Amino acid sequence: MSTTDRPAPIRILIGCDTFLPDVNGAARFAERLAAGLVQRGEDVHVVAPSVRHNRTGTFVETIEGERMTVHRWASWRWYPHDWLRFVLPWRARGYARRLLDRVRPDVIHIQSHIVIGRALAIEGAKRGIRIVATNHVMPENVLDFTPPPEKAKRVFVRGGWTAAARVLRLASAVTPPPRRAADFLERNTHRRGVLPVSCGLRAANYTADLTPRSSNRLVFVGRVTLEKEIDVILRAIPRIDPALDVSLTIVGDGDQRRNLEKLAVELGIADRVRFTGRVSDEQLRAQLTGASAFVIASIAELQSIATMEAMASGLPIVAADAMALPHLVHEGENGYLFQPGNDRELAERIERVLRLSPEEYQRMQRASLDAVQVHDIDRTLDTFEALYRGEAVAG
């Protein structure tokens, strides 16, 4: 769409329970969404937890190269987790009322149904503001950060989905990333007409190396937490034929890093496993470009931006057959799936990729590059702008 053909800008308030400097899929999506909308000339405001303890204020921040207004609400660290911060629920509604009266947005786009998203949706609905909701959170995943007994977990999950349903019913559109996540949400909240919308990425920002590989280096990118099941990848490494001389780079950080480093020593593979910790975007892209394959064992991915980044880097993918990953990995085309938790099968799938002929390997690389095109960020932005304006969008 040309600049002259674009409708008048609208004021969009994006509510995030996790945002920069957090590193996770939901935060990265919100950052790219906000920056993309600013590039298109929309008036964007972001609400997010404070970076420093108990500090509320409005700031101009540079996100993905774009300057925008970010409203930071006083938040507290959840100490069982390595980065999670949350706004006190009994304060959030008051913050929301004051902000909405001041900003007067045309639309509110919440990124979760938890604290900030819940407060903005409830107070926005009272004012007749259009609500769009993207769901990045499953109550089951939150249990990774809490230690309740099994019976309490079941009660928590039921209560979590009930709370989600109360918030999501206020939205004119609900948009989890892939179709499988949309189906899962409909089953658990009884919300109908859920529209899957990809988180999107700009594939042109990533570089694919289609020349023959001189080494067999696997890469994983993501938070180093329980739900990612990185231990399954580590246990697969000793099962791979030693002649392939496989190494693994784990890009990211989290509360399980020390445990995984210890496991690598116990498995006798510490010299073949590298933990980079947090890296810059440029370093991340270089790690992907130089790898031989991307491996992910997570069982809780609602979309997996990291997997899409690997595809945009021309990598074959070996992924757990769980949640959204089968929507990204087409068996035998751009990679292989394995039974979740089965390190023996994972090792076999990795070997299968690394033993491909140069021609077959490059075919798999090109299949990843082709498959990621449907997740182009401009398609995502087009869809959300239509939803913001109340226009019909095909599912």
Side-chain angles (χ1 to χ4, degrees):
M1 183 183 297
S2 69
T3 304
T4 55
D5 293 335
R6 289 187 57 79
I10 57 176
R11 181 166 294 173
I12 305 158
L13 183 63
I14 302 175
C16 313
D17 280 287
T18 177
F19 195 69
L20 198 75
D22 300 344
V23 180
N24 58 72
R28 292 299 301 273
F29 166 67
E31 292 156 21
R32 289 172 175 170
L33 173 70
L37 292 169
V38 170
Q39 289 174 352
R40 290 179 170 216
E42 307 291 10
D43 183 6
V44 176
H45 292 247
V46 175
V47 183
S50 62
V51 177
R52 293 189 179 90
H53 168 67
N54 208 24
R55 183 186 180 192
T56 298
T58 295
F59 310 91
V60 175
E61 299 184 18
T62 300
I63 309 295
E64 295 277 318
E66 300 295 332
R67 290 171 64 80
M68 65 189 70
T69 302
V70 181
H71 308 275
R72 296 279 184 177
W73 292 355
S75 67
W76 299 74
R77 167 83 183 276
W78 177 248
Y79 283 101
H81 190 258
D82 60 325
W83 53 259
L84 186 64
R85 302 184 66 86
F86 63 94
V87 176
L88 296 176
W90 53 89
R91 289 186 177 180
R93 295 277 292 276
Y95 292 151
R97 285 192 292 269
R98 290 189 289 274
L99 183 64
L100 293 177
D101 289 343
R102 178 158 53 93
V103 174
R104 298 185 180 277
D106 298 302
V107 63
I108 299 170
H109 186 171
I110 64 172
Q111 302 302 306
S112 79
H113 57 268
I114 305 179
V115 180
I116 290 178
R118 179 177 182 274
L120 289 173
I122 292 173
E123 295 301 327
K126 289 179 181 178
R127 291 160 173 75
I129 301 171
R130 180 182 299 278
I131 310 293
V132 173
T134 295
N135 182 59
H136 297 282
V137 179
M138 293 190 299
E140 291 86 343
N141 291 354
V142 179
L143 295 177
D144 283 340
F145 313 139
T146 59
E150 194 59 38
K151 185 175 181 180
K153 287 182 180 181
R154 291 195 294 270
V155 173
F156 176 88
V157 168
R158 287 197 301 271
W161 281 117
T162 299
R166 292 195 189 104
V167 175
L168 297 179
R169 67 181 174 81
L170 301 174
S172 61
V174 179
T175 65
R179 181 70 256 174
R180 182 173 292 194
D183 294 340
F184 192 81
L185 191 149
E186 287 184 345
R187 287 196 303 272
N188 284 280
T189 66
H190 305 294
R191 170 80 191 222
R192 297 296 176 263
V194 174
L195 176 69
V197 180
S198 175
C199 290
L201 83 168
R202 198 166 300 284
N205 290 342
Y206 299 84
T207 302
D209 180 2
L210 300 181
T211 62
R213 293 294 194 263
S214 59
S215 63
N216 290 325
R217 184 172 66 83
L218 309 175
V219 65
F220 164 83
V221 175
R223 289 178 293 113
V224 184
T225 55
L226 282 174
E227 70 182 65
K228 300 298 183 180
E229 301 213 354
I230 301 169
D231 63 299
V232 177
I233 304 176
L234 293 180
R235 295 181 194 282
I237 300 298
R239 297 185 180 279
I240 298 172
D241 185 349
L244 290 172
D245 193 22
V246 170
S247 64
L248 169 67
T249 301
I250 297 172
V251 181
D253 214 344
D255 57 8
Q256 290 300 302
R257 177 170 174 173
R258 184 174 298 178
N259 292 337
L260 293 170
E261 289 174 335
K262 181 180 178 182
L263 177 60
V265 172
E266 293 172 355
L267 293 171
I269 58 172
D271 60 332
R272 292 191 280 154
V273 179
R274 180 188 172 209
F275 292 83
T276 69
R278 290 191 179 188
V279 299
S280 67
D281 287 346
E282 292 74 17
Q283 291 169 323
L284 165 63
R285 291 165 186 162
Q287 290 289 349
L288 289 170
T289 298
S292 304
F294 181 81
V295 183
I296 180 167
S298 174
I299 58 172
E301 298 296 321
L302 287 180
Q303 181 156 46
S304 184
I305 291 176
T307 302
M308 293 194 297
E309 290 175 326
M311 292 165 64
S313 304
L315 294 185
I317 311 297
V318 182
D321 189 3
M323 286 303 292
L325 295 175
H327 289 267
L328 297 174
V329 181
H330 305 289
E331 185 75 11
E333 296 181 16
N334 71 321
Y336 297 103
L337 298 168
F338 68 95
Q339 181 183 7
N342 190 332
D343 55 271
R344 186 181 298 276
E345 188 170 81
L346 170 56
E348 187 275 328
R349 298 294 190 269
I350 292 171
E351 282 200 24
R352 192 180 297 183
V353 169
L354 299 181
R355 294 188 187 281
L356 291 171
S357 68
E359 295 76 20
E360 286 297 300
Y361 179 82
Q362 189 178 106
R363 178 191 62 77
M364 195 165 276
Q365 287 183 289
R366 293 189 182 281
S368 274
L369 292 172
D370 290 342
V372 82
Q373 294 305 313
V374 300
H375 299 284
D376 182 77
I377 188 65
D378 285 319
R379 295 190 184 191
T380 298
L381 293 170
D382 287 344
T383 300
F384 280 119
E385 285 187 310
L387 293 174
Y388 297 157
R389 292 180 167 86
E391 299 170 5
V393 175

